[in-house]
């Protein structure tokens, strides 16, 4: 099979324990290779070379490289934000507590070295002229944290606790304000202070500013 050949994706047949283990290995290796080498520099053959198994099995379960990559993003999104999103729907705390809690979880994620590699990877995707890559879907997956916060803000708005016109925009602005002091410099390889004390100080300041702007006077 060549790099562009596809099959039914994802595989709908029940997996044996051995097949499930093999698929997990494929995914773990593929994610590591994409992070370390970039999307364009990884082939399906590379994944098989480092994970074992056969090329036919890889294609059988994941279709092609583009579908595998999107599946990985979906998996990462669910692992990182799935429970966060479900909790936000019925979150009973008020605005400051919610923003502090979600902002802390977000900072814990984006200050890891893998998060830096991941952002470099996603940025590089934007320069790939490849019609097979569903960039709209990728963008939607990357927007999951924004949607989680926006959903909570919509509930608070409906209850009359906050005043805001565009909750999605505010959620996006909040996360950008949270990651702003820490992410871009590290993407460039600049060594900055990401200690817990510094992160909490920055987060508290952002939360205070947003609460003052959103809460009903």
């Amino acid at each position: 099979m060549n790099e562009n050949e596809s099959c039914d994706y994802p595989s709908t047949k029940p997996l044996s324990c051995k097949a499930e283990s093999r698929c997990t290995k494929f995914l773990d290796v593929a994610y590591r290779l994409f992070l370390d080498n970039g999307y364009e520099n990884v082939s399906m053959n590379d994944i098989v070379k480092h994970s074992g198994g056969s090329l036919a099995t890889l294609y059988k379960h994941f279709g092609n490289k583009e579908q595998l990559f999107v599946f990985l993003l979906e998996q990462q999104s669910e692992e990182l934000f799935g429970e966060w999103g479900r909790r936000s729907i019925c979150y009973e705390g008020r605005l400051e507590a919610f923003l502090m809690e979600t902002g802390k979880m977000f900072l814990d994620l984006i200050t890891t070295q893998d998060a830096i590699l991941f952002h470099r990877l996603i940025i590089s995707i934007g320069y790939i002229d490849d019609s097979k890559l569903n960039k709209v879907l990728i963008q939607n997956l990357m927007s999951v944290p924004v949607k989680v916060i926006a959903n909570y803000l919509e509930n608070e708005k409906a209850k009359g606790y906050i005043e805001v016109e565009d909750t999605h925009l505010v959620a996006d602005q909040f996360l950008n304000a949270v990651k702003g002091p820490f992410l871009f410099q590290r993407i460039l390889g600049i060594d900055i202070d990401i200690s817990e004390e510094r992160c909490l100080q920055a987060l508290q300041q952002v939360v205070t500013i947003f609460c003052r702007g959103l809460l009903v006077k």
Side-chain angles (χ1 to χ4, degrees), residues 3 23 47 61 71 79 81 90 100 115 122 145 157 161 170 173 179 183:
E3 284 296 308
C23 285
I47 295 169
H61 290 294
F71 183 86
E79 288 181 2
F81 305 116
C90 55
M100 282 298 298
I122 294 301
K157 179 181 177 180
Y161 294 149
V170 169
Q173 290 170 325
K179 69 184 179 183
L183 186 60

Side-chain angles (χ1 to χ4, degrees), residues 121-196:
L121 171 63
I122 294 301
I123 290 171
S124 71
I125 294 295
Y127 294 93
I128 298 175
D129 184 17
D130 189 340
S131 60
K132 295 185 293 295
L133 267 176
N134 191 334
K135 294 182 181 179
V136 174
L137 177 57
I138 293 174
Q139 180 185 18
N140 288 337
L141 289 171
M142 293 296 293
S143 298
V144 169
V146 175
K147 294 174 184 176
V148 169
I149 295 177
N151 288 338
Y152 169 81
L153 294 178
E154 279 293 337
N155 290 334
E156 293 294 281
K157 179 181 177 180
K159 295 173 185 176
Y161 294 149
I162 64 173
E163 293 179 331
V164 58
E165 181 176 345
D166 188 333
T167 55
H168 191 277
L169 178 60
V170 169
D172 197 18
Q173 290 170 325
F174 173 74
L175 290 179
N176 276 296
V178 169
K179 69 184 179 183
F182 303 104
L183 186 60
F184 184 65
Q185 294 95 320
R186 298 192 68 220
I187 289 176
L188 294 177
I190 299 173
D191 188 24
I192 61 171
D193 182 6
I194 57 170
S195 64
E196 182 176 5

Side-chain angles (χ1 to χ4, degrees), residues 8 27 35 59 61 63-64 67 85 111 115-116 118 123 174 205 213:
D8 290 340
L27 291 170
L35 285 186
Y59 276 105
H61 290 294
N64 56 30
Q67 292 171 330
T111 51
I116 303 305
F118 181 77
I123 290 171
F174 173 74
Q205 184 164 297

Side-chain angles (χ1 to χ4, degrees), residues 49-95:
K49 178 182 177 181
H50 288 83
S51 65
S54 70
L55 192 61
T57 301
L58 180 58
Y59 276 105
K60 173 184 176 181
H61 290 294
F62 298 106
N64 56 30
K65 188 173 82 167
E66 294 77 23
Q67 292 171 330
L68 172 60
F69 183 72
V70 170
F71 183 86
L72 278 169
L73 293 184
E74 291 173 337
Q75 182 189 59
Q76 289 294 311
S77 178
E78 172 59 28
E79 288 181 2
L80 296 175
F81 305 116
E83 183 60 27
W84 184 13
R86 288 184 285 273
R87 286 180 58 201
S88 70
I89 295 174
C90 55
Y91 189 88
E92 296 181 355
R94 295 303 303 276
L95 182 64

Side-chain angles (χ1 to χ4, degrees), residues 4-56:
N4 297 318
E5 190 172 351
S6 178
C7 63
D8 290 340
Y9 163 77
S11 177
T12 56
K13 296 180 181 180
L15 298 179
S16 66
C17 291
K18 182 178 180 180
E20 185 174 352
S21 176
R22 173 57 57 200
C23 285
T24 299
K25 183 67 173 178
F26 282 146
L27 291 170
D28 290 344
V29 168
Y31 186 62
R32 190 74 254 164
L33 289 175
F34 284 135
L35 285 186
D36 292 341
N37 303 316
Y39 178 81
E40 289 189 294
N41 296 322
V42 176
S43 69
M44 297 290 265
N45 283 310
D46 292 330
I47 295 169
V48 171
K49 178 182 177 181
H50 288 83
S51 65
S54 70
L55 192 61

